[in-house]
Amino acid sequence: MSNNKITSHGQLPFFILTFILTFVMAPPHHVGSESRLASPSDQPYRTSFHFQVPKNWMNDPNGPMYYNGVYHFFYQHNPSGPLFHPRMYWGHSVSRDLINWTPLDPAFAPTEPFDINGCWSGSATILPGNKPVMLYTGLDTENCQVQNLAVPKDLSDPHLREWVKHTGNPIINVPDGIKHDDFRDPSTAWHADDGKWRIIVGSRREGTGMAFLYRSEDFVNWSMWESPLYEVAGSGIWECPDFFPVCVDSNNGVDTSVMNSRVKHVLKMAAFDCGRDYYLIGNYNPENEHFVPQSELTLGSLRYDYGKFYASKSFFDPVKNRRILMGWVNESDSDEDAHAKGWSGLQSFPRSIWLDQNQKQLVQWPIEEFKMLHENEVSFKNKSLEAGSLHEILGITASQADVNVSFKLTNLEEAEELDLSGIDPQVFCSEMDASKKGKFGPFGILALASHDLSEQTAISFRVYKNNGRYTVLMCSDQSRSSTRNGLDKTTYGAFVDIDPQQDEISLRTLIDHSIVESFGGGGKTCITARVYPTLAIGDEAHLFAFNYGTESVLISELSAWSVKKAHINIEETNGGAY
Ligand SMILES: *[C@@H]1O[C@H](CO)[C@@H](O)[C@H](O)[C@H]1NC(C)=O
Ligand SMILES: *[C@@H]1O[C@H](CO)[C@@H](O)[C@H](O)[C@H]1NC(C)=O
Ligand SMILES: *[C@@H]1O[C@H](CO)[C@@H](O)[C@H](O)[C@H]1NC(C)=O
Ligand SMILES: *[C@@H]1O[C@H](CO)[C@@H](O)[C@H](O)[C@H]1NC(C)=O
């Protein structure tokens, strides 16, 4: 038993139970938590602060933007059922704080010859004079993927409810030599000193994935540039490409058209064949349209998120000078489950995104507005987690929570020697599941755990050393997330580029009933998982900090909060939260 002093800064009494584990994870003695949640039995997997629709299917985020005091979010939506159908609509919601969202009627429906078979993904651009325009992919009468333009019908409507499709659509047709259904998802436009607008569109030629570049002076007449902005043999089709500048010396975001020596550029592609959002950081020259990334695109390249997260989109928020990212988080259950739930698909919690100080990767962090949903903070400092220990964190609603914890490792020289170069961290995490003891690790948290631990999602770290250098691995182990079968319980893993000799190992995890969204190393490595517990639901969910390694680790600080339910896409008679 540990006897370290624990301080509580919370308003509610806060207890920690310590258990020593011997061979198996013994079920903890259960101390009842206060009941604060309504019975979730009818819809245990609906979330409380993640963007989702009341019913039916949602996938890619579309055209996020800020306009005249209002954030707009659009999304791929099948209003007729909970499964994907190509005849997509653009769902539309608005918000003043990116937390609470008011639903509006779909912005686009498939009604015209140039989009009659579906209104697919696209992006917003704010033109000079504060005029939003939207580019999106239409599936035309022949199911060709063509690019279309639309503008708000009435700029004085604060909600921009109605959109007018340009009569000259499509404005861009499938390029010669490209298959009719391999050409989609126009990006936000940027312009350079020559006054020309540029966009990229995802495509492929044979197995070579690419982003075609188009230029225009008037946003209507677009000419394809002589070569793609970037292409990579063997990468398959790219969807939802995003291209934006990031500051080299600040965490602030900048508008998509900013170009100077203080920015680098990020090219993001959603690699359809593996369902992953990869990105490259590099230098962009608009004169010759050369984008030169710092590294090549490979299967091991940088990703926004190493779990379930795809087809994301970013936008510049001029209110707080930041770039915000949201991505589609798919389900991990079956089509039958989708019918039973009546809905499919979440969006990640909005994340601020910026270039790391080392300029080698991006960093992401939940937007600061999240704190308006915090309540019942519990926290403590300087708490040793002995080998094999498990500590329940009480006083919060563990199924709807935000946890922020920092681990400090002392006697690091005791770390296990292991050369992880060339190792796929996800495969490693799958083989070394959270029950397998190491020296430093696994330590971390157990989210959405049942009281007997038969259900748990472990987000954990392991630390190894090799030739005097340390490697930090982060895993999200879903293998015991539910006692149900027929779910995708893939374990995810990734490296965290920090030096544990200098930096503490931090973990922030957003837990929301069926989603566990984790930010390791201060947001350098993100892993999002979908889980469907049957026992650890509502008030029956528990949260633990654990250390199954043979070396003790120190929790230098832990804070956790219950998270209030946000008003998301709920029609309200009083005008709503919005
Ligand atoms: C479209 O732009 C191209 C390139 O700037 C130009 O050559 C062409 O004349 C334009 N077409 C129309 C219809 O304006
Ligand atoms: C979404 O998840 C379902 C269920 O796990 C899976 O069958 C489907 O392939 C996924 N779709 C994409 C595009 O990842
Ligand atoms: C942290 O806890 C240890 C005992 O585990 C104690 O010796 C040390 O003084 C504490 N440090 C701080 C900063 O409270
Ligand atoms: C989370 O913890 C880190 C490291 O201890 C700290 O810097 C950060 O301010 C914390 N964030 C929140 C929201 O508490």
Side-chain angles (χ1 to χ4, degrees):
M1 280 285 194
S2 157
N3 59 359
N4 290 316
K5 183 163 173 280
I6 298 152
T7 55
S8 170
H9 306 300
Q11 296 177 342
L12 289 172
F14 170 52
F15 311 96
I16 291 186
L17 305 179
T18 301
F19 301 94
I20 304 297
L21 297 183
T22 49
F23 299 101
V24 292
M25 283 163 283
H29 169 63
H30 179 214
V31 174
S33 57
E34 284 156 87
S35 183
R36 267 183 233 96
L37 298 175
S39 164
S41 54
D42 49 339
Q43 282 280 357
Y45 308 128
R46 276 195 81 80
T47 60
S48 285
F49 56 93
H50 282 81
F51 188 98
Q52 69 178 126
V53 280
K55 60 179 188 195
N56 297 324
W57 170 268
M58 172 177 73
N59 54 314
D60 308 2
N62 289 155
M65 64 175 190
Y66 173 83
Y67 177 71
N68 281 358
V70 178
Y71 294 101
H72 291 257
F73 186 79
F74 306 83
Y75 54 89
Q76 290 286 282
H77 183 42
N78 171 14
S80 315
L83 297 177
F84 176 84
H85 188 284
R87 219 163 157 270
M88 282 290 162
Y89 289 61
W90 273 43
H92 184 192
S93 296
V94 288
S95 174
R96 291 198 182 270
D97 53 20
L98 291 163
I99 300 287
N100 301 292
W101 293 92
T102 300
L104 303 174
D105 287 341
F108 303 145
T111 54
E112 305 301 318
F114 50 79
D115 65 14
I116 192 73
N117 283 309
C119 297
W120 282 24
S121 289
S123 306
T125 304
I126 310 287
L127 297 183
N130 202 21
K131 295 198 173 73
V133 295
M134 206 63 84
L135 293 171
Y136 70 99
T137 298
L139 269 55
D140 74 6
T141 51
E142 308 297 313
N143 270 309
C144 287
Q145 296 178 353
V146 297
Q147 314 315 323
N148 298 321
L149 174 67
V151 297
K153 184 174 181 184
D154 175 8
L155 283 177
S156 67
D157 169 14
H159 291 157
L160 303 178
R161 284 186 173 84
E162 288 184 73
W163 290 72
V164 182
K165 297 170 185 173
H166 180 62
T167 51
N169 283 338
I171 51 165
I172 304 177
N173 278 301
V174 182
D176 289 343
I178 297 297
K179 277 177 63 193
H180 72 285
D181 55 354
D182 277 347
F183 183 58
R184 54 184 177 268
D185 308 342
S187 70
T188 293
W190 69 96
H191 67 84
D193 288 344
D194 60 10
K196 288 197 176 75
W197 291 97
R198 281 108 165 130
I199 55 165
I200 51 175
V201 182
S203 189
R204 77 168 150 194
R205 186 177 271 123
E206 306 295 329
T208 299
M210 57 185 67
F212 279 117
L213 177 73
Y214 287 81
R215 314 207 306 180
S216 174
E217 281 172 26
D218 58 6
F219 231 83
V220 175
N221 175 24
W222 293 87
S223 308
M224 190 167 88
W225 182 248
E226 55 202 39
S227 56
L229 178 70
Y230 205 66
E231 60 183 334
V232 177
S235 59
I237 189 163
W238 294 1
E239 300 189 297
C240 303
D242 201 358
F243 190 63
F244 56 89
V246 282
C247 298
V248 296
D249 50 10
S250 152
N251 296 355
N252 287 342
V254 284
D255 183 81
T256 310
S257 293
V258 167
M259 241 160 299
N260 58 47
S261 59
R262 306 314 303 160
V263 301
K264 291 194 179 214
H265 274 77
V266 174
L267 173 64
K268 188 278 295 195
M269 65 288 285
F272 178 77
D273 291 355
C274 53
R276 295 173 169 187
D277 273 20
Y278 285 109
Y279 67 89
L280 300 169
I281 300 168
N283 292 307
Y284 167 62
N285 179 350
E287 279 166 33
N288 56 14
E289 304 297 357
H290 282 177
F291 171 67
V292 183
Q294 294 169 177
S295 55
E296 286 176 15
L297 181 70
T298 67
L299 276 175
S301 284
L302 292 164
R303 290 160 61 185
Y304 281 162
D305 193 297
Y306 296 85
K308 213 155 241 205
F309 182 99
Y310 186 68
S312 64
K313 211 169 272 301
S314 73
F315 73 104
F316 174 64
D317 171 14
V319 183
K320 295 198 172 176
N321 283 319
R322 57 187 171 175
R323 184 161 287 273
I324 292 174
L325 175 73
M326 288 172 79
W328 169 43
V329 183
N330 190 13
E331 300 299 316
S332 292
D333 58 1
S334 67
D335 289 358
E336 293 70 44
D337 294 326
H339 282 294
K341 292 183 305 195
W343 57 271
S344 283
L346 302 179
Q347 301 296 329
S348 71
F349 194 77
R351 305 170 178 183
S352 290
I353 181 168
W354 66 90
L355 185 64
D356 186 60
Q357 275 175 356
N358 71 15
Q359 300 187 16
K360 289 193 299 190
Q361 67 161 108
L362 298 172
V363 182
Q364 300 165 62
W365 200 243
I367 55 165
E368 62 184 13
E369 284 83 348
F370 192 26
K371 63 177 182 276
M372 75 174 70
L373 298 177
H374 280 167
E375 60 181 3
N376 305 336
E377 178 176 4
V378 295
S379 69
F380 58 89
K381 287 191 164 121
N382 193 32
K383 162 76 189 158
S384 178
L385 270 185
E386 304 302 332
S389 62
L390 182 67
H391 301 270
E392 181 159 13
I393 293 149
L394 293 169
I396 58 160
T397 54
S399 57
Q400 206 174 298
D402 182 5
V403 195
N404 191 28
V405 53
S406 277
F407 299 96
K408 191 169 175 172
L409 313 190
T410 45
N411 56 332
L412 254 181
E413 60 286 351
E414 296 296 322
E416 214 168 312
E417 284 280 349
L418 190 63
D419 181 5
L420 288 170
S421 53
I423 298 279
D424 178 336
Q426 178 168 357
V427 171
F428 190 86
C429 285
S430 310
E431 287 166 0
M432 295 290 287
D433 74 59
S435 69
K436 298 214 172 67
K437 276 185 200 174
K439 276 189 153 178
F440 278 112
F443 58 86
I445 64 167
L446 301 182
L448 295 172
S450 58
H451 75 99
D452 65 356
L453 295 182
S454 60
E455 291 186 330
Q456 53 171 283
T457 295
I459 305 97
S460 66
F461 300 97
R462 291 173 187 269
V463 178
Y464 298 95
K465 87 174 165 203
N466 184 234
N467 291 327
R469 298 193 50 173
Y470 292 91
T471 304
V472 179
L473 189 74
M474 173 173 165
C475 305
S476 180
D477 177 359
Q478 283 68 243
S479 61
R480 283 175 291 169
S481 58
S482 176
T483 51
R484 279 175 59 194
N485 294 320
L487 303 168
D488 170 9
K489 297 182 191 173
T490 304
T491 286
Y492 308 116
F495 295 116
V496 191
D497 186 16
I498 54 173
D499 179 357
Q501 293 169 289
Q502 267 138 48
D503 304 320
E504 295 188 350
I505 300 177
S506 74
L507 173 65
R508 176 122 183 240
T509 298
L510 278 45
I511 301 162
D512 195 2
H513 301 275
S514 66
I515 181 170
V516 178
E517 202 176 347
S518 298
F519 302 77
K524 286 187 167 203
T525 300
C526 305
I527 303 182
T528 297
R530 295 300 309 279
V531 295
Y532 307 85
T534 59
L535 306 169
I537 57 177
D539 286 339
E540 298 302 316
H542 300 261
L543 174 68
F544 299 87
F546 77 99
N547 174 20
Y548 299 158
T550 57
E551 297 289 328
S552 67
V553 301
L554 184 76
I555 294 183
S556 55
E557 185 158 10
L558 182 148
S559 299
W561 298 265
S562 297
V563 176
K564 285 181 274 191
K565 190 175 170 63
H567 296 263
I568 297 181
N569 295 328
I570 303 162
E571 309 265 10
E572 281 172 287
T573 47
N574 64 359
Y578 161 73

